[in-house]
Amino acid sequence: MKIDTNIQAIALQNKMELMKLQASSDIKSNPIINTQAVSFSDTMNNMVNGINQQQLAAGAKMAAVDAGRSDDLVGAMVMSQKAGLSFSVLMQVRNKLMSGFDDIMRMPL
């Protein structure tokens, strides 16, 4: 199990390095950086949907361990922690956005 976790961690690091290289080459090759409009609501919807999928996958893994269909308790716990951290980040982003909105609403005209 530990070897599988290490392999997954290495694969994730390699994927992150590849994404970093792709992002840096895109910035260098494009003199005008991304002129397309990015929709805030689409970004938030994608983020919420991604976190929901993580929560569902973690729940499914935990249910499989509870039912005895899987013995990957460590994987289930790690996935559960990842989903919990993602949700915490989402709540922090929401809190910052609401705080900024409140500040804007309190500004005198």
Side-chain angles (χ1 to χ4, degrees):
M1 266 194 255
K2 187 172 184 171
I3 294 173
D4 290 337
T5 305
N6 289 340
I7 291 172
Q8 290 174 351
I10 291 169
L12 183 60
Q13 286 176 340
N14 288 340
K15 199 182 280 187
M16 289 170 56
E17 287 293 324
L18 180 62
M19 289 170 52
K20 180 181 171 184
L21 289 173
Q22 287 174 342
S24 66
S25 68
D26 287 345
I27 290 172
K28 290 176 186 173
S29 66
N30 190 357
I32 301 173
I33 299 173
N34 202 1
T35 57
Q36 296 176 345
V38 177
S39 171
F40 178 76
S41 63
D42 288 343
T43 303
M44 287 301 289
N45 281 333
N46 289 339
M47 193 162 92
V48 168
N49 288 334
I51 292 170
N52 184 41
Q53 291 301 318
Q54 285 181 342
Q55 292 281 347
L56 292 174
K61 271 199 164 200
M62 292 299 284
V65 169
D66 288 343
R69 292 185 307 247
S70 174
D71 63 346
D72 188 18
L73 179 61
V74 174
M77 293 302 293
V78 167
M79 187 170 279
S80 177
Q81 288 296 318
K82 283 181 182 180
L85 285 172
S86 296
F87 186 74
S88 295
V89 168
L90 177 66
M91 289 296 101
Q92 290 297 320
V93 168
R94 181 196 62 109
N95 291 341
K96 289 290 184 182
L97 288 171
M98 293 307 296
S99 174
F101 181 74
D102 289 340
D103 289 345
I104 290 171
M105 292 304 291
R106 287 189 194 120
M107 281 184 182
L109 296 177

